[in-house]
Amino acid sequence: MSSHEANDDSFELYDLRVEAVMPEDGGKVYCGAKPGDHFELRGEMLHMPPGQGFSIYSIAAVLPLLAAKQRPTHPNDWMTSDADVACPDPNCASRLRITRLGLRRFSHAATTAVPLPDAAGGSENGE
């Protein structure tokens, strides 16, 4: 391992776009979503277009999946292939589509105060 690799504490996460997908059959939408409504997740920061809102219940439905969708996954893992999440209101016909955008590089030291384990064999919990 080169000294550059030993000092490289970087990792990559996908930026994500979560978009409200309207029903093709004209089904009723109760969550307040409109065609084109979306937000993006870049690292840990959620970004919405100016003047656009998003239902907290819809966000709550996709929130547990976002950290996993940000990370590279095995091609056969359902997290790689499945992208649509049902609206949490069982009467609402909209869906939320999670799309992976480009990869973004982060530094471990810039994202946590916890140091990386010692490369010489130390463990994460100090044992």
Side-chain angles (χ1 to χ4, degrees):
M1 177 183 302
S2 73
S3 63
H4 172 35
E5 288 172 339
N7 294 328
D8 183 9
D9 75 339
S10 67
F11 63 99
E12 292 182 325
L13 297 175
Y14 284 99
D15 288 342
L16 302 176
R17 179 182 175 107
V18 178
E19 181 177 3
V21 178
M22 298 298 107
E24 292 180 18
D25 64 1
K28 185 79 171 140
V29 174
Y30 292 99
C31 63
K34 297 172 189 63
D37 281 358
H38 71 279
F39 64 86
E40 289 187 1
L41 182 61
R42 300 178 207 137
E44 64 183 45
M45 301 303 295
L46 199 91
H47 298 267
M48 280 186 226
Q52 182 209 285
F54 218 91
S55 163
I56 62 167
Y57 304 108
S58 295
I59 291 173
V62 297
L63 195 59
L65 303 173
L66 297 181
K69 279 296 235 188
Q70 283 186 301
R71 284 150 174 80
T73 50
H74 189 279
N76 297 340
D77 187 336
W78 70 269
M79 191 58 71
T80 303
S81 60
D82 296 20
D84 288 2
V85 178
C87 179
D89 181 336
N91 298 304
C92 183
S94 72
R95 297 273 185 251
L96 304 163
R97 180 163 296 146
I98 305 169
T99 304
R100 286 176 167 170
L101 304 173
L103 285 168
R104 185 179 302 268
R105 185 170 296 277
F106 296 90
S107 161
H108 180 274
T111 58
T112 182
V114 178
L116 285 168
D118 180 14
S123 69
E124 291 181 27
N125 62 7
E127 293 176 9

